[in-house]
Amino acid sequence: MGLEEEIEAIREEIAETPYNKSTEAHIGRLKSKLADKKDELDDRSSAGGGHGYAVEKTGDATVALVGMPSAGKSTLLNALTNAESEVGDYEFTTLTVEPGMLEHRGANIQLLDVPGLIEGAAGGRGRGREVLSVIRTADLVVFLLSAFEIDAYARLSEELYENKIRLDESPPAVRITRKGKGGIDVTLGPDVAVDADTVKEVLREHGYVNADVSVSGNVDLDGIVDGVLGNRVYLPSVVAVNKVDLIDPSYVETVEENLREHGIDPEEAVFVSAEERKGLDALRERIWDELELIRVYMDKPGRGPDYEEPLVLRRNQTVGEACEKLGGELAERFRFARVSGPSAKHDDQQVGKDHALEDEDVLRIVARR
Ligand SMILES: Nc1nc2c(ncn2[C@@H]2O[C@H](COP(=O)(O)OP(=O)(O)OP(=O)(O)O)[C@@H](O)[C@H]2O)c(=O)[nH]1
Ligand SMILES: [Mg+2]
């Protein structure tokens, strides 16, 4: 039996087995096996000389723009960035990943127009697989849905899920320590929705013989498998609904209903017209918020704070990380820093490298000469 048939057979068995306490461990073993086989298939096809899209990550953060053909990705990329991507009224106008740079609040945010993500891409059809690997390296996924094709969301998010991308969830708290002997010991937190035996089966199937494993938080069986496999990518996502210039006011309710059907709160979605450049400020704001970027104004001796070109960091990054990003020998020569602004208890508070910064802090670094 070939790998594809094996995968299909496991899928069928999972689908046919009713899920209850007595079958849970068995299903856990099957899911673990399925995940391993799928990884094997992925490795095999990427070893086949797929060139991938070598898009170099630049800027302060990277956003993957995902949508069906003709959703308006290129139009949006051109509207938000310096890119000049071809726009066409036929599908698959764009065939490669097109980068553009979005400048917002002094941050350079790389936007990648990811084309051709269609049903079956994760199964290796077309160039979908290479495209999916680009998304895995991003910091945020923006779904661009045509207002007339909200259903695309289900297919797109399914593709991402199949390619080990988890959206809007935090990594499951599964901690595994290998040991020399003694079998598998499981410690479960109170909110874990599976039995210890099931966790053991998942680990055994994945090749563990002796290990201590602890699971905490609100984790289900899929979460356990994800945690044990450990190669899933966890990303936030935003839904943008495009072509709103074409919708009749009476159709708005239908769009909202369609969104709700796919588990998207219409209040959380951003409505835009890429063509007429409407709603773009709101979209920039959402991208900024979801990326959790912060601006730090560097106060250089004799020059005062630089409000024009802030140092852009992620929320909760520290003074030490600011030094790293500034580069040079600043990290080694660091003595202390002074911070004013939201993270400071008072103006010019003296802090060390561990101090966590916040948006619009003013930072002065005092270094050895
Ligand atoms: N009315 C209207 N048309 C739009 C809007 N955005 C894009 N379009 C049109 O939709 C068509 C497809 O736009 P593209 O930007 O090429 O779409 P794409 O998602 O890049 O498509 P592919 O490259 O084929 O994947 C073009 O004819 C655009 O002019 C919009 O907001 N309103
Ligand atoms: Mg395009």
Side-chain angles (χ1 to χ4, degrees):
M1 195 166 18
L3 200 47
E4 267 119 350
E5 286 84 32
E6 260 186 89
I7 288 172
E8 206 37 55
I10 303 167
R11 272 195 216 279
E12 270 169 34
E13 191 175 350
I14 292 172
E16 282 163 10
T17 312
Y19 189 115
N20 56 50
K21 276 292 153 204
S22 66
T23 59
E24 187 189 80
H26 178 60
I27 292 176
R29 194 177 61 77
L30 290 174
K31 287 198 165 187
S32 185
K33 191 172 174 180
L34 177 65
D36 277 332
K37 296 278 177 201
K38 275 164 63 183
D39 280 0
E40 207 182 315
L41 187 66
D42 283 352
D43 290 347
R44 199 182 278 179
S45 28
S46 53
H51 295 293
Y53 290 98
V55 184
E56 197 191 341
K57 277 185 79 165
T58 59
D60 298 302
T62 299
V63 177
L65 187 58
V66 168
M68 298 301 278
S70 287
K73 300 178 296 299
S74 296
T75 309
L76 184 67
L77 185 80
N78 293 343
L80 287 176
T81 74
N82 56 350
E84 290 172 22
S85 185
E86 193 187 339
V87 172
D89 59 2
Y90 46 91
E91 300 194 336
F92 299 106
T93 305
T94 312
L95 295 172
T96 58
V97 175
E98 296 271 351
M101 201 59 92
L102 158 64
E103 280 166 37
H104 187 62
R105 295 184 170 169
N108 293 310
I109 300 168
Q110 187 184 37
L111 206 60
L112 300 178
D113 169 2
V114 181
L117 184 76
I118 47 165
E119 213 167 356
R125 263 180 257 160
R127 306 204 63 187
R129 185 179 304 280
E130 291 134 329
V131 160
L132 285 158
S133 68
V134 169
I135 304 172
R136 282 171 64 88
T137 68
D139 303 298
L140 170 70
V141 173
V142 172
F143 288 97
L144 188 68
L145 308 176
S146 159
F148 306 99
E149 207 186 1
I150 301 297
D151 280 7
Y153 180 78
R155 291 149 76 180
L156 295 167
S157 50
E158 167 76 11
E159 285 296 344
L160 300 188
Y161 189 89
E162 287 294 317
N163 200 51
K164 296 170 272 189
I165 296 165
R166 301 290 176 265
L167 298 173
D168 308 307
E169 49 178 282
S170 32
V174 178
R175 257 164 274 286
I176 306 171
T177 321
R178 285 185 192 274
K179 54 186 184 181
K181 53 177 197 274
I184 296 172
D185 275 317
V186 180
T187 313
L188 298 180
D191 297 327
V192 178
V194 294
D195 288 345
D197 279 345
T198 305
V199 177
K200 276 186 198 174
E201 282 302 321
V202 172
L203 266 93
R204 267 196 214 112
E205 184 58 46
H206 191 56
Y208 285 95
V209 179
N210 301 302
D212 286 328
V213 53
S214 77
V215 186
S216 57
N218 196 336
V219 186
D220 62 6
L221 182 51
D222 290 328
I224 302 278
V225 175
D226 282 351
V228 171
L229 273 283
N231 57 357
R232 279 71 175 115
V233 173
Y234 296 82
L235 297 177
S237 76
V238 169
V239 172
V241 177
N242 191 30
K243 308 196 183 184
V244 295
D245 56 294
L246 296 179
I247 58 176
D248 202 70
S250 66
Y251 189 69
V252 173
E253 225 165 275
T254 310
V255 174
E256 292 185 348
E257 196 45 50
N258 290 343
L259 286 167
R260 270 186 224 104
E261 263 171 36
H262 289 93
I264 306 159
D265 179 355
E267 300 279 318
E268 293 283 307
V270 188
F271 292 81
V272 301
S273 166
E275 186 121 311
E276 298 193 349
R277 306 193 169 213
K278 289 194 179 123
L280 301 187
D281 284 340
L283 183 56
R284 287 187 197 96
E285 279 304 303
R286 270 302 292 284
I287 289 174
W288 173 271
D289 285 347
E290 293 293 334
L291 286 172
E292 306 198 316
L293 296 177
I294 62 169
R295 294 157 286 180
V296 174
Y297 305 121
M298 296 307 299
D299 184 359
K300 292 173 196 134
R303 272 187 273 173
D306 178 357
Y307 293 108
E308 296 300 313
E309 283 183 51
L311 177 70
V312 177
L313 298 170
R314 309 290 290 262
R315 195 174 297 158
N316 291 321
Q317 280 198 302
T318 61
V319 169
E321 285 164 310
C323 291
E324 297 290 340
K325 189 155 182 185
L326 289 164
E329 290 166 2
L330 206 54
E332 292 102 83
R333 293 192 293 119
F334 180 89
R335 283 176 60 212
F336 61 88
R338 291 202 183 275
V339 184
S340 302
S343 80
K345 290 201 191 93
H346 52 80
D347 276 0
D348 289 323
Q349 185 192 347
Q350 182 172 330
V351 298
K353 274 188 179 176
D354 297 341
H355 180 82
L357 293 158
E358 285 179 37
D359 192 28
E360 303 215 73
D361 275 343
V362 173
L363 174 66
R364 181 147 51 98
I365 290 166
V366 180
R368 271 183 288 277
R369 304 213 155 259

